[in-house]
Amino acid sequence: MTYKTPDGPTACKSKADICVTGAPWHLADIDGVCGGRAPLQAIHVISQPPTGGDPGSSYCLAWTGSDDGTGRDAALLMNAPGYQCGASLVGANGQAIQMDGTSIFSDSPQDCTGSYPDTRLTYPAVLDFPSNGGVQPPEYVCVVARTGA
């Protein structure tokens, strides 16, 4: 299939490469080609900051490499340098920090299509927290995959 990166040249990739969650490839009508929007992804947060942060905090995920078939394991980091993160958490508007003071975390699934239209770079996710014994309810976010160097 022919694709292009948002600011780059046109080239070819397989449909599987273009449609995988987190892929940066730009393709007009990607939802039609891939059979719908990027599906909700489960992320198991195995480590998180000791405090809840504040509205001025940014959050990201450091992937552990583990995947139990129902979701990927990650450490949730707050205000971390970008090189430590495999993905950033953003609100449905694509912003890491909400200027109105609202949280990027939600109790219902988010529409994450606006950040990088016609790509799979941004996708909806549900964070669960298995290491705290089920005390913390799942949180819904939008995830922006980090690609490249």
Side-chain angles (χ1 to χ4, degrees):
M1 301 193 84
T2 301
Y3 76 92
K4 76 183 272 328
T5 54
D7 296 320
T10 300
C12 288
K13 283 281 184 192
S14 71
K15 179 179 175 181
D17 287 342
I18 291 171
C19 294
V20 70
T21 301
W25 319 121
H26 181 272
L27 180 68
D29 190 32
I30 195 166
D31 291 343
V33 169
C34 298
R37 292 183 174 181
L40 183 70
Q41 301 293 305
I43 299 170
H44 311 304
V45 176
I46 60 169
S47 175
Q48 62 184 323
T51 63
D54 61 50
S57 296
S58 62
Y59 297 89
C60 71
L61 298 168
W63 303 115
T64 66
S66 298
D67 184 337
D68 66 3
T70 64
R72 294 175 73 181
D73 289 354
L76 179 64
L77 305 176
M78 182 173 62
N79 296 327
Y83 68 86
Q84 293 181 341
C85 305
S88 296
L89 302 185
V90 298
N93 63 0
Q95 299 299 310
I97 298 173
Q98 305 301 301
M99 301 315 280
D100 64 1
T102 58
S103 175
I104 61 166
F105 300 97
S106 175
D107 59 1
S108 61
Q110 300 296 295
D111 177 5
C112 303
T113 58
S115 297
Y116 293 93
D118 300 324
T119 74
R120 290 289 199 237
L121 198 58
T122 303
Y123 55 91
V126 59
L127 307 179
D128 62 43
F129 304 86
S131 61
N132 71 2
V135 176
Q136 188 171 353
E139 299 277 352
Y140 294 89
V141 294
C142 294
V143 176
V144 178
R146 293 185 184 244
T147 61

